[in-house]
């Protein structure tokens, strides 16, 4: 449990602001964790904000020691459909991971958040996807919050919160809605 608290503290210590560098708290790079990013690639987010999401994830990855005994990162994107970009166990070093993050395509389309939350709950934190026993599971959802089916999103979120996955949401976009 202490390990999960340290990883969560580290994840909370990473920040992004207009033009600000993303940094991690000292000592965070050595704490093992399985971290999946769920990125909103819908039309309401837009290409520019999607690029900002990818830049954030790349800076996040650069803040940690990456590998099978350290931090593992997976990425899934969603819009009308959900796309697993890569699993936790796909990249065991920083450079190819960051390159893969930067290569993720923008999709556009509707915002089917409920389907995306269900997908990561059922598929991203499995042994086949690289999930490790006794390591903190962290999901970081980046979205503008404009789900196309709010009741289904609330239901999927409730199911997610009954798992061992620590979930954080980061709002993106102009915020004028």
């Amino acid at each position: 449990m202490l390990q999960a608290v340290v990883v969560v503290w580290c994840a909370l210590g990473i920040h992004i602001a207009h033009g600000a560098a993303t940094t991690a708290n000292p000592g965070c790079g050595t704490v093992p964790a399985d971290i999946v990013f769920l990125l909103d690639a819908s039309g309401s987010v837009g290409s520019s904000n999607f690029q900002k999401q990818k830049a954030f994830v790349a800076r996040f990855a650069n803040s940690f020691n990456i590998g099978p005994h350290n931090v593992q990162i997976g990425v899934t994107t969603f819009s009308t459909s959900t796309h697993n970009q890569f699993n936790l166990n796909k990249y065991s070093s920083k450079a190819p991971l960051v390159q893969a993050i930067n290569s993720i395509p923008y999709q556009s389309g509707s915002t089917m958040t409920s389907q995306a939350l269900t997908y990561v709950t059922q598929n991203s934190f499995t042994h086949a996807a690289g999930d490790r026993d006794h390591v903190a599971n962290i999901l970081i959802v980046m979205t503008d919050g404009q789900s196309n089916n709010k009741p289904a999103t609330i239901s999927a979120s409730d199911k997610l919160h009954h798992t061992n996955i620590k979930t954080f949401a980061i709002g993106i976009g102009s915020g004028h809605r």
Side-chain angles (χ1 to χ4, degrees), residues 80-116:
T80 304
S81 58
T82 302
H83 299 275
N84 182 48
Q85 298 298 325
F86 51 87
N87 288 322
L88 293 162
N89 57 1
K90 175 73 176 179
Y91 297 102
S92 59
S93 61
K94 199 174 292 189
L97 171 63
V98 171
Q99 182 177 10
I101 292 165
N102 290 328
S103 299
I104 296 171
Y106 173 63
Q107 297 161 299
S108 194
S110 299
T111 312
M112 303 305 293
T113 312
S114 61
Q115 292 176 4

Side-chain angles (χ1 to χ4, degrees), residues 148-162:
N148 284 87
N149 187 337
K150 290 181 183 181
T153 299
I154 291 168
S155 177
S157 177
D158 287 344
K159 290 176 185 171
L160 174 64
H161 287 300
H162 287 96

Side-chain angles (χ1 to χ4, degrees), residues 43-98:
S44 61
V45 166
S47 179
S48 175
N49 283 322
F50 185 73
Q51 297 307 316
K52 290 177 186 177
Q53 289 179 81
K54 292 189 333 182
F56 175 80
V57 176
R59 287 191 303 267
F60 185 101
N62 275 317
S63 298
F64 289 92
N65 294 334
I66 302 298
H69 301 291
N70 298 301
V71 170
Q72 295 186 135
I73 293 177
V75 176
T76 298
T77 57
F78 70 99
S79 60
T80 304
S81 58
T82 302
H83 299 275
N84 182 48
Q85 298 298 325
F86 51 87
N87 288 322
L88 293 162
N89 57 1
K90 175 73 176 179
Y91 297 102
S92 59
S93 61
K94 199 174 292 189
L97 171 63
V98 171

Side-chain angles (χ1 to χ4, degrees), residues 20-33:
T22 303
T23 57
N25 292 313
C28 290
T30 59
V31 178

